[in-house]
Amino acid sequence: MKNKSESLPLGVNRLVIALCGDYERRQRILERQCASPDTLAHFYRLNSAIDNAVAEVCEEAICRQIREDIGAGRGARRSPLYFLSEGAYKQRKRAAKYRIARSLNLL
C-alpha cells in the first residue's frame, strides 16, 4: 500500500474479510482430503495465496493472528496482539489486506 489514504474498495475489503474468515474451514477440508481433487487444489491455492501475502508484510510470529483478526473483523483493541501499538497493528493489518487482495488479483 502506497499511503495511508489509499484503501480497498468496499467490495474487495468484504471479500478479503470473507476469504480470511473461511480459511480454517478450507484448511480442515484440505487436512481430511474430503473433497474433489479440483476443490482441494483450489482451496490450497487460496490458502497459500493468503498465507504468502500476509507473510510478505508481517513478522512470522503474528501472521496467523493478523489473518484471524482480518477474518473475524477484529480490531486492535480486541486482538490478542496486545504487545503491538495500535498504530503498528493497524498498519500491518491494512498492509496484509492489501497484499491479500493483490495476490488474489482482486485489484
Side-chain angles (χ1 to χ4, degrees):
M1 201 169 237
K2 290 186 174 74
N3 61 44
K4 189 173 181 175
S5 65
E6 185 178 342
S7 61
L8 294 175
L10 182 59
V12 173
N13 187 52
R14 287 178 177 165
L15 189 53
V16 168
I17 291 168
L19 288 169
C20 287
D22 195 42
Y23 182 97
E24 294 299 328
R25 180 190 70 88
R26 290 189 306 270
Q27 192 62 36
R28 283 191 304 274
I29 291 170
L30 285 167
E31 289 168 1
R32 294 180 190 149
Q33 297 285 309
C34 59
S36 72
D38 289 340
T39 301
L40 293 173
H42 182 66
F43 285 178
Y44 179 79
R45 282 192 300 273
L46 275 175
N47 282 7
S48 293
I50 291 169
D51 287 338
N52 293 336
V54 174
E56 286 179 17
V57 296
C58 294
E59 296 85 349
E60 183 179 346
I62 66 169
C63 287
R64 180 186 57 77
Q65 190 60 54
I66 288 288
R67 177 186 39 82
E68 288 178 3
D69 286 356
I70 291 169
R74 191 178 304 126
R77 293 186 181 164
R78 293 189 162 272
S79 176
L81 297 174
Y82 59 87
F83 53 87
L84 288 177
S85 71
E86 188 172 346
Y89 174 86
K90 287 180 177 183
Q91 184 273 331
R92 283 173 178 80
K93 186 175 171 185
R94 188 181 308 115
K97 285 173 132 180
Y98 183 80
R99 280 302 308 145
I100 291 168
R102 296 290 296 173
S103 71
L104 295 174
N105 298 312
L106 301 175
L107 294 175

